[in-house]
Amino acid sequence: MSDLRDQAPGAAGDAAPYDALLLLSFGGPEGPDDVVPFLENVTRGRGIPKERLKEVGQHYFLFGGVSPINDQNRALLDALREDFAQNSLDLPVHWGNRNWAPYLTDTLREMALAGHRRILVLTTSAYASYSGCRQYRENLADALAALEAEGIEPPRVDKLRHYFNHPGFVRPMIDGVLASLAELPEEVRAGAHLAFTTHSIPDASADTSGPAEEHGEGGAYVREHLDVARLIADAVREETGVERPWELVYQSRSGAPHIPWLEPDICDHLETLHGKGVPAVVMVPIGFVSDHMEVLYDLDTEATAKAAELGLPVVRSATVGADPRFAAAVRELVLERAAAERGQRVERCALGALGPSHDLCPVGCCPARAPRPAAAGADSPYA
């Protein structure tokens, strides 16, 4: 287990048998004209009318029709390339998205035509869930099938393990909480609570997240978030000498109101804390790698407005983004997986109670409602 305070970045080394890394993300609009087409991509197959998509798109229009996620990914690409170069890791890094340019299929086509045959994939989702893991694996399978249909031999793709409890992901969030506490007025700082936030998903999706043998109430999705929240809260207590109450709460719910989703919502939670006389709150978006739209709107805009209405001081702590420690963690994960593929014994870096996640998603892991082919797992048609 690595020390939280002095995380070792890992040794440089050989990435063989891999010859490229693919950063795979959600994508987002980059101008007002992109918003509705982007939302059509996100909701494809659900039959949602264009007028309804325009209503949903108001969140984006508040920010000029631009989601910050693509710029965040460009910054992460730069950080990864810089870290790899500084540590003599000769591994090109490419970028593809699920729902907007650069599209995954286009990027994989370019990589295949450039001669890449073994590709590691880093997704911008740290936790186990259908939408955060298996759906990306389904996207990979779709893209590989498209290449095959074009007469292009599809490369082999492997996905890096979940990194929610890697020190390079956890430590920057601890520092973010400490910085946020320092921003609060001194008279409310000691009594501030921590509200750890993540994307709400349907209860049924949470309950079936992770490997099938671990399915249960909340599944791996809730367990992993709780473990990270506990790690951060414990570190903040150790470094400030103050025990702070905390809770895992949710945001960004969508879908039919009759379907149960994970609760409580962050705005409801702020109301509850205010009613109990809590003097201040730090919102900690542990479920998000970077400051994309759900952070900027649901926390910085909506939840912050709710807190102002209540007269409750709040601060939102930073996401990991392109922090150099996260880039170093990705390098560690690449070298770890490469060594394992070469048959070497590997010491896997992980904090907390859950240990390192699996390299290969097993059959039945985070199942879809309707079974679809998924790459980079034990059930992959592209082994």
Side-chain angles (χ1 to χ4, degrees):
M1 179 181 290
S2 292
D3 182 81
L4 278 169
R5 189 181 298 276
D6 298 308
Q7 176 217 163
D14 187 3
Y18 298 105
D19 54 27
L21 176 69
L22 169 63
L23 174 65
L24 176 54
S25 192
F26 193 81
E30 301 202 72
D33 293 341
D34 296 344
V35 173
V36 172
F38 163 73
L39 292 173
E40 287 175 332
N41 287 343
V42 174
T43 61
R44 184 179 292 114
R46 300 183 202 171
I48 299 176
K50 184 170 287 190
E51 290 308 310
R52 174 59 183 149
L53 294 179
K54 289 179 181 178
E55 293 175 21
V56 174
Q58 290 306 312
H59 294 181
Y60 292 95
F61 292 128
L62 286 173
F63 296 89
V66 178
S67 168
I69 192 170
N70 281 355
D71 278 345
Q72 293 280 338
N73 283 328
R74 292 183 184 101
L76 180 55
L77 281 171
D78 289 343
L80 292 171
R81 288 166 177 159
E82 181 178 356
D83 178 88
F84 288 7
Q86 288 177 348
N87 290 277
S88 303
L89 179 58
D90 184 16
L91 191 72
V93 186
H94 299 258
W95 168 37
N97 288 325
R98 173 188 292 172
N99 297 302
W100 202 249
Y103 288 103
L104 170 60
T105 300
D106 295 337
T107 299
L108 273 180
R109 182 187 300 109
E110 292 170 5
M111 296 176 77
L113 293 176
H116 295 302
R117 305 307 312 150
R118 289 290 301 272
I119 297 170
L120 267 176
V121 179
L122 167 70
T123 62
T124 53
S125 175
Y127 302 86
S129 70
Y130 170 73
S131 58
C133 183
R134 185 176 178 89
Q135 191 172 9
Y136 282 115
R137 293 176 48 225
E138 291 174 354
N139 300 147
L140 285 165
D142 290 343
L144 294 171
L147 297 190
E148 208 168 34
E150 295 170 11
I152 300 171
E153 183 182 355
R156 173 170 167 175
V157 295
D158 290 328
K159 180 180 173 293
L160 289 173
R161 66 177 172 92
H162 301 302
Y163 48 84
F164 64 92
N165 56 2
H166 194 287
F169 186 67
V170 176
R171 183 68 229 188
M173 292 190 288
I174 295 168
D175 290 344
V177 174
L178 294 171
S180 293
L181 287 168
E183 289 179 34
L184 288 170
E186 190 172 354
E187 62 270 20
V188 300
R189 188 179 305 151
H193 284 218
L194 307 179
F196 294 99
T197 74
T198 190
H199 206 300
S200 183
I201 62 175
D203 287 5
S205 294
D207 291 345
T208 56
S209 59
E213 65 273 13
E214 298 175 12
H215 290 172
E217 187 174 358
Y221 187 75
V222 172
R223 285 198 299 276
E224 290 170 1
H225 281 88
L226 285 172
D227 205 44
V228 172
R230 192 171 293 110
L231 281 167
I232 296 171
D234 287 350
V236 170
R237 182 195 67 242
E238 291 170 8
E239 296 183 34
T240 64
V242 178
E243 179 81 46
R244 298 182 183 279
W246 62 270
E247 189 167 344
L248 177 64
V249 300
Y250 302 92
Q251 61 175 89
S252 314
R253 182 200 160 117
S254 60
H258 69 279
I259 297 175
W261 284 52
L262 294 173
E263 295 178 336
D265 177 78
I266 177 62
C267 290
D268 295 338
H269 183 60
L270 293 177
E271 285 194 10
T272 299
L273 293 182
H274 175 66
K276 292 179 177 178
V278 171
V281 178
V282 175
M283 300 183 292
V284 191
I286 59 172
F288 304 91
V289 173
S290 65
D291 288 6
H292 54 71
M293 186 56 68
E294 275 127 335
V295 175
L296 292 190
Y297 182 80
D298 296 335
L299 294 182
D300 294 356
T301 305
E302 192 172 51
T304 300
K306 170 57 72 174
E309 174 190 316
L310 296 168
L312 176 65
V314 297
V315 182
R316 194 268 292 175
S317 68
T319 54
V320 173
D323 190 291
R325 291 167 293 185
F326 181 47
V330 174
R331 171 167 44 84
E332 286 187 12
L333 291 169
V334 166
L335 295 175
E336 168 198 293
R337 182 62 181 273
E341 288 294 308
R342 294 195 300 267
Q344 295 174 242
R345 187 173 178 275
V346 177
E347 183 176 346
R348 300 174 186 273
C349 189
L351 301 168
L354 299 181
S357 184
H358 47 262
D359 277 342
L360 197 66
C361 292
V363 176
C365 196
C366 303
R369 285 177 293 178
R372 292 181 54 204
D379 54 355
S380 172
Y382 296 97

